[in-house]
Amino acid sequence: MSQELTDHIRRLTVDLKKVQDEINRAAIGDPAEAVRTLTLDQMLDGKLIAAFKSAVDHTRLVLWAHLEAAGKNTGFTAQDLLLKARMERVTEMLRLLREEIRTPPIAATPEARALLQEIAVATGVTGRQA
């Protein structure tokens, strides 16, 4: 690992700890749930926090895969483990969505139809299965 990357990781680690502290302080200010939620909503733009969470989640997953590959002699590369973890997450999300998208209002949305069509094409599954 280059020294530049090492230094960057150190700075990000410090910054992430600061962000955690700031969010925690805002969340525990007043015990009333409405006030905590309002405080966090005022601090954080929804799209910004979603993008931040996504970046942190992805980084965590990549680091986990590298640590697993380096720490165990499994014969799998970090990329193999990363793909496996992503497939597990997607599978779990699809299981959770399965019942919800069967309801008429949701199943009729273009997003649901497009998702189901992509899954059918990717898996070679056609027709309706129970």
Side-chain angles (χ1 to χ4, degrees):
M1 187 179 320
S2 74
Q3 187 61 42
E4 184 178 319
L5 180 58
T6 300
D7 292 343
H8 194 178
I9 290 172
R10 282 193 181 106
R11 287 190 310 272
L12 285 172
T13 301
V14 169
D15 288 345
L16 274 174
K17 288 180 181 181
K18 287 178 185 176
V19 168
Q20 288 171 349
D21 290 343
E22 289 176 33
I23 291 172
N24 285 336
R25 274 196 304 279
I28 60 173
D30 187 305
E33 182 64 33
V35 173
R36 281 198 304 266
T37 302
L38 179 63
T39 303
L40 284 173
D41 287 346
Q42 289 171 343
M43 283 178 44
L44 304 171
D45 171 74
K47 289 181 182 177
L48 174 64
I49 199 64
F52 179 67
K53 180 190 178 302
S54 178
V56 170
D57 287 347
H58 180 72
T59 302
R60 180 191 51 79
L61 193 59
V62 169
L63 289 173
W64 169 84
H66 282 282
L67 288 172
E68 283 286 310
K72 296 180 179 176
N73 193 7
T74 62
F76 292 106
T77 67
Q79 191 64 29
D80 294 336
L81 293 171
L82 186 57
L83 180 59
K84 180 180 180 291
R86 285 180 179 153
M87 291 298 293
E88 288 170 357
R89 287 176 53 202
V90 167
T91 301
E92 182 59 25
M93 284 189 284
L94 289 172
R95 280 190 190 119
L96 294 171
L97 286 172
R98 180 175 35 205
E99 290 305 315
E100 292 179 29
I101 63 175
R102 286 184 179 172
T103 61
I106 295 173
T109 65
E111 295 84 2
R113 285 195 306 267
L115 172 64
L116 294 173
Q117 180 63 34
E118 280 187 49
I119 292 168
V121 168
T123 60
V125 175
T126 59
R128 197 167 179 106
Q129 297 184 3

